[in-house]
């Protein structure tokens, strides 16, 4: 089956950005949003903090910076930093 989808350049760029953040090709993102086997919208993979932060290294640097200033266990700091990264990047 073939479906033609017409989008503006701005919409295409937005879809490309969303696909990159999720670590999937744009075609797969569109396929997940438009069709699935049961003719129902397929779930689109969620964006993870590591996608927003462009890699694990920046999350680790943020954790190290917090650990230098405060005596908080790494597991608690990591979940807090990941929550903040996602909240800052939400479009609501």
């Amino acid at each position: 089956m073939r479906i033609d989808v017409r989008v503006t350049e701005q919409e295409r760029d937005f879809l490309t950005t969303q696909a990159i953040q999720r670590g999937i090709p744009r075609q797969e993102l569109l396929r997940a949003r438009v069709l699935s086997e049961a003719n129902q919208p397929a779930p689109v993979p969620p964006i993870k903090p590591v996608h927003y932060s462009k890699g694990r290294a920046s999350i680790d640097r943020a954790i190290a910076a917090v650990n230098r200033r405060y005596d908080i266990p790494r597991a608690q700091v990591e979940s807090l930093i990941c929550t903040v990264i996602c909240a800052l990047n939400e479009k609501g």
Side-chain angles (χ1 to χ4, degrees):
M1 176 186 311
R2 182 181 172 122
I3 298 175
D4 289 325
V5 178
R6 295 180 187 192
V7 295
T8 65
E9 189 172 331
Q10 182 181 6
E11 291 168 330
R12 187 191 66 208
D13 292 343
F14 175 76
L15 289 169
T16 300
T17 302
Q18 291 291 306
I20 289 170
Q21 289 176 337
R22 288 174 170 81
I24 60 175
R26 185 176 62 213
Q27 293 84 351
E28 188 176 327
L29 176 70
L30 283 169
R31 207 173 285 120
R33 289 187 174 186
V34 175
L35 294 175
S36 73
E37 296 297 321
N39 221 9
Q40 297 291 319
V44 176
I47 297 176
K48 297 179 181 175
V50 72
H51 297 141
Y52 282 130
S53 63
K54 307 279 192 272
R56 182 74 203 172
S58 57
I59 293 173
D60 290 335
R61 284 193 308 273
I63 291 169
V66 171
N67 281 336
R68 280 193 300 271
R69 295 195 71 173
Y70 305 101
D71 186 25
I72 303 172
R74 180 182 171 87
Q76 290 177 349
V77 173
E78 184 172 2
S79 64
L80 177 65
I81 287 172
C82 289
T83 301
V84 169
I85 288 170
C86 287
L88 289 173
N89 285 285
E90 278 185 6
K91 295 183 182 189

